Amino acid sequence: MKNRFIPLLGIFSIFSFTACNNAVQDEMAVAETTPEKAIFEGQPLSMEYEDEITKLISQMTLEEKAGMLHGTSMFATSGVPRLGIPELTMADGPLGIREEISRDSWAPAGWTNDFATYLPAGAGLSATWNPQLAYTFGNVIGAEARDRNKDVLLAPAFNIIRTPLGGRTYEYFSEDPFLNTQITVPYIVGVQENDVAACIKHYAVNNQETNRGTVDVQMDERTLREIYLPAFEAAITDAHAYSVMGAYNRFRGDYLNENEYMLQNVLRDQWGFKGIVISDWAAIHSTVKALKAGADVEMGTPRPFNEFYFADPLIAAVKAGELSEEEVDKHVRRVLRLMYNIKSIDSTGRAKGARNTEQHLKDAYDIASESIVLLKNDKKMLPLDLEGISSIAVIGDNATKKNALGGFGAGVKTKLEVTPLEGLQNRLPESIQINHAQGYLERYSKTDKAKYGDITLNGPVTIDELDPQLLEEAVNAAKNSDVAIIFAGSNRDYETEASDRANLDLPFGQEELINKVMEANPNTIVVMIAGAPFDIENVDQRASTLVWSWFNGSEGGNALADVLLGKVNPSGKLPWTMPKNLEDSPAHATKSFPGGDVATYDEGILVGYKWFDTKNIEPLYPFGYGLSYTDFELSNAKVDKTEAYANAETIRVSVDVENTGKLDGKEVVQLYVSKEDSEVERAAQELKGFIKALVPAGGSKTVTIEIPVKDLAYYSNENSDWVVEPGTYTLRIGNSSRNISEEVIVNIK
């Protein structure tokens, strides 16, 4: 079974087209950028230009060919002007199009017209559980890349979140391969509709920043196929991504950019990829081996451009007979094929793009407002009832912290980033006094580097002592206000590419600050702003009201204020599991993170909630969890058939969603599948479908989820193929992995 995923129908691959039209079109009315078409399936690379490409290649010198296969500036390869071939230009873009940098260094270019919309980070996007918004995200960032004359967007990044310590968890999507796929595919489709190639990354099993340039990842084939490759496969076979970024690490001994099994056998032979493989920066380690294995373009920075492996050494290898010029031509052809498809050679009819528009800001707002997760609301303090409130304390460095340009890696130079304080100032009536106090300082040791066990992670070490004066100001602000809101958590300087965190501790002494403020004012709301899990168990035990937000883009502060004030009913769900203890997480329970020269993924297929559910470990907050200001009940679950065959059949599951509260709201109906008597190891349950339903107060809606029977398969190491095991399957329906309210049984023959 080459492709286990069917093309995406409607908003999710599991939904029937009828369900989309009847149950989903109005659900997402808040996102006004909904495309008219209902199918998220990308346009394959056209092969119609091959004769023209052959003619161009025949006229090129070896030196010109090599110039097209390696960086000749920081983010571009050479063109061949005499033949009308332009440079191939690239841009980082996890949060928006990166500011322009110099051609030969990382220094900013100093442009005054390279501003871009700052979009919510990947964790926030996935927390919407809304593929329609993933399409919107991709369409916005693709249009902005095109407006900046970029050909390749170095995004999306969607490696599986294997450890809560991961430095790029804020940027990645999920711990679950199914949710990962449902966000990834529409994102890519949205990007490439703008005549910009998406470069999916980081292929593959690049799940830690520690030793990322050298670590050799070892896992069995079933784990690879079931957990770490599904989103990449769907990105190629359904979204038709035009380019792939080869990761830094090794896999089964070979670097990913010279790994013939991954680049040729899987990517090209099995999935039919016809685009280009671009190395991560300085991730090529050879000339002949890497080129023959399937890498096409070498990018990087540590040495002069002409010394890259695909530069002068490539020319020398051809002249020495170590590499045929026909091999070089094959890779040049792939680059030219991509360029023709995005219309960069013949720009007739190429999309123009747009940037910094009001619509893009609205799109950023829509994503941010659906991403926010209400974790706890025991005293029903939210939404804030402003009647009788004359003052609100706003406390915490995160109330004013801006994250667009933070951290190592790709930031965004943006004209607008609304902070939480500014959002409240924009939304609260003038009659309410805001008493602002910083509360804590973001400080790091200048000499120490973070360590996990005996492994140096090179991350920042925080200084966690509170400043006495700032603490006093915060306590006084809380005492003298009717309500206190603490904006705590993390930031993009602390969660960053190139280093994993050493622990889950809240940095900068925030836990002590939160305790002191809650003692001063029991009416305290705690808002966490972070991209990855933290140890907030003590905070959770003391706080009655807890909200989780993200690095949420240009309109993040306004979206957060609207959730707190009730203009927006929160509908975000956690895209990962929040553990009580780090040791409860599978990579740490098995002591296989971070490894040394080798990282063995000893937890196998039991990643994230699959581990917690199978091992009966109670998380602090489970995968898929998130509350609303209203209440929902799921009932009357039905299947269209109780028996099905393992060939091409599809199971349709319907369930009634009733809003029993007084506010309109959106609920994410989640469908998990379990099989208890399996002949192979299985997780206690696996996510196989979901739908986000808008239900008016007092109303109900019937939603339908489709599951192709082939999606119940496991990957057989013995047969090197997918196997649908006959027997009884339980379809479990709920609103989180730990809150299942309906079950139905299906027998597979």
Side-chain angles (χ1 to χ4, degrees), residues 66-103:
M68 295 188 65
L69 302 184
H70 70 89
T72 52
S73 68
M74 301 298 285
F75 279 92
T77 62
S78 284
V80 186
R82 69 181 183 86
L83 297 178
I85 303 172
E87 291 184 329
L88 184 71
T89 59
M90 308 174 195
D92 269 330
L95 309 173
I97 303 306
R98 185 177 188 154
E99 69 175 324
E100 205 68 27
I101 65 169
S102 302
R103 288 187 63 86

Side-chain angles (χ1 to χ4, degrees), residues 66-340:
M68 295 188 65
L69 302 184
H70 70 89
T72 52
S73 68
M74 301 298 285
F75 279 92
T77 62
S78 284
V80 186
R82 69 181 183 86
L83 297 178
I85 303 172
E87 291 184 329
L88 184 71
T89 59
M90 308 174 195
D92 269 330
L95 309 173
I97 303 306
R98 185 177 188 154
E99 69 175 324
E100 205 68 27
I101 65 169
S102 302
R103 288 187 63 86
D104 58 358
S105 79
W106 289 103
W111 290 12
T112 58
N113 63 344
D114 57 343
F115 292 94
T117 304
Y118 168 32
L119 291 158
L125 174 61
S126 58
T128 68
W129 286 61
N130 186 342
Q132 181 63 65
L133 290 179
Y135 170 86
T136 298
F137 189 115
N139 199 262
V140 169
I141 202 168
E144 299 219 343
R146 185 77 287 281
D147 189 69
R148 283 271 300 280
N149 294 313
K150 305 302 181 185
D151 299 316
V152 179
L153 175 72
L154 303 172
F158 50 86
N159 293 99
I160 286 289
I161 297 169
R162 178 176 179 249
T163 166
L165 298 181
R168 301 184 83 161
T169 295
Y170 80 91
E171 178 185 352
Y172 294 160
F173 291 158
S174 177
E175 67 187 27
D176 178 74
F178 186 85
L179 176 58
N180 215 13
T181 298
Q182 304 306 309
I183 300 298
T184 295
V185 169
Y187 181 124
I188 295 166
V189 173
V191 169
Q192 294 190 164
E193 287 182 357
N194 292 279
D195 295 327
V196 172
C199 184
I200 60 174
K201 61 185 189 183
H202 308 85
Y203 183 72
V205 294
N206 183 185
N207 309 99
Q208 63 186 60
E209 296 300 284
T210 307
N211 300 332
R212 67 177 183 176
T214 58
V215 67
D216 184 9
V217 174
Q218 298 286 336
M219 70 176 71
D220 70 287
E221 193 70 9
R222 182 184 176 197
T223 298
L224 177 70
R225 298 286 181 152
E226 291 191 16
I227 303 298
Y228 296 97
L229 289 190
F232 283 101
E233 180 179 1
I236 300 302
T237 59
D238 291 338
H240 300 289
Y242 289 172
S243 61
V244 172
M245 180 178 287
Y248 280 117
N249 53 293
R250 301 173 190 258
F251 179 63
R252 296 176 181 164
D254 284 329
Y255 285 106
L256 263 304
N257 286 284
E258 51 188 46
N259 193 308
E260 185 176 356
Y261 177 70
M262 296 297 288
L263 297 185
Q264 186 60 48
N265 297 0
V266 175
L267 183 63
R268 296 191 184 277
D269 295 344
Q270 295 178 21
W271 298 347
F273 180 62
K274 292 180 170 55
I276 63 173
V277 173
I278 302 171
S279 77
D280 208 336
W281 266 231
I284 293 284
H285 298 271
S286 64
T287 301
V288 176
K289 183 176 181 179
L291 205 68
K292 286 186 173 181
D296 298 301
V297 175
E298 177 188 9
M299 299 300 293
T301 54
R303 59 178 67 88
F305 299 120
N306 69 298
E307 294 181 9
F308 283 16
Y309 289 101
F310 286 7
D312 288 352
L314 183 149
I315 296 170
V318 173
K319 291 180 177 179
E322 300 170 359
L323 190 69
S324 70
E325 192 160 352
E326 288 75 19
E327 178 69 34
V328 176
D329 291 350
K330 180 171 68 175
H331 299 273
V332 173
R333 175 177 295 277
R334 293 170 182 167
V335 175
L336 289 170
R337 182 184 298 147
L338 179 145
M339 296 178 77
Y340 269 106

Side-chain angles (χ1 to χ4, degrees), residues 303-511:
R303 59 178 67 88
F305 299 120
N306 69 298
E307 294 181 9
F308 283 16
Y309 289 101
F310 286 7
D312 288 352
L314 183 149
I315 296 170
V318 173
K319 291 180 177 179
E322 300 170 359
L323 190 69
S324 70
E325 192 160 352
E326 288 75 19
E327 178 69 34
V328 176
D329 291 350
K330 180 171 68 175
H331 299 273
V332 173
R333 175 177 295 277
R334 293 170 182 167
V335 175
L336 289 170
R337 182 184 298 147
L338 179 145
M339 296 178 77
Y340 269 106
N341 273 269
I342 62 173
K343 306 182 180 73
S344 69
I345 290 181
D346 179 3
S347 60
T348 304
R350 193 177 193 188
K352 300 297 183 184
R355 189 159 41 100
N356 297 317
T357 67
E358 287 298 317
Q359 182 61 53
H360 287 183
L361 288 174
K362 182 185 183 306
D363 292 337
Y365 171 88
D366 288 342
I367 295 166
S369 63
E370 283 205 24
S371 75
I372 296 165
V373 183
L374 179 62
L375 294 178
K376 194 175 182 181
N377 196 22
D378 289 355
K379 291 169 60 176
K380 303 297 181 185
M381 289 181 62
L382 293 178
L384 275 171
D385 183 357
L386 299 182
E387 186 175 348
I389 292 179
S390 60
S391 59
I392 296 177
V394 175
I395 299 168
D397 189 66
N398 269 351
T400 56
K401 176 72 176 179
K402 295 192 174 184
N403 288 296
L405 280 171
F408 176 85
V412 184
K413 182 178 173 182
T414 187
K415 291 182 177 180
L416 179 71
E417 181 178 354
V418 179
T419 66
L421 175 60
E422 291 168 341
L424 288 170
Q425 291 170 335
N426 293 339
R427 299 306 201 244
L428 288 170
E430 293 183 1
S431 60
I432 293 182
Q433 179 178 335
I434 296 177
N435 298 319
H436 173 238
Q438 184 176 357
Y440 67 91
L441 292 170
E442 178 193 355
R443 295 185 294 176
Y444 304 96
S445 169
K446 294 181 179 180
T447 57
D448 297 328
K449 291 294 182 183
K451 291 188 176 183
Y452 175 85
D454 295 325
I455 305 295
T456 300
L457 301 185
N458 294 318
V461 173
T462 61
I463 297 175
D464 296 328
E465 292 78 25
L466 291 172
D467 180 281
Q469 182 176 345
L470 292 183
L471 175 59
E472 182 180 2
E473 291 171 358
V475 170
N476 287 336
K479 284 181 179 178
N480 296 315
S481 302
D482 297 317
V483 175
I485 307 176
I486 301 178
F487 294 93
S490 180
N491 55 60
R492 284 201 58 245
D493 294 314
Y494 188 51
E495 293 182 59
T496 178
E497 179 185 351
S499 66
D500 298 315
R501 289 180 290 148
N503 53 57
L504 292 181
D505 298 346
L506 270 180
F508 317 124
Q510 292 179 84
E511 190 169 316

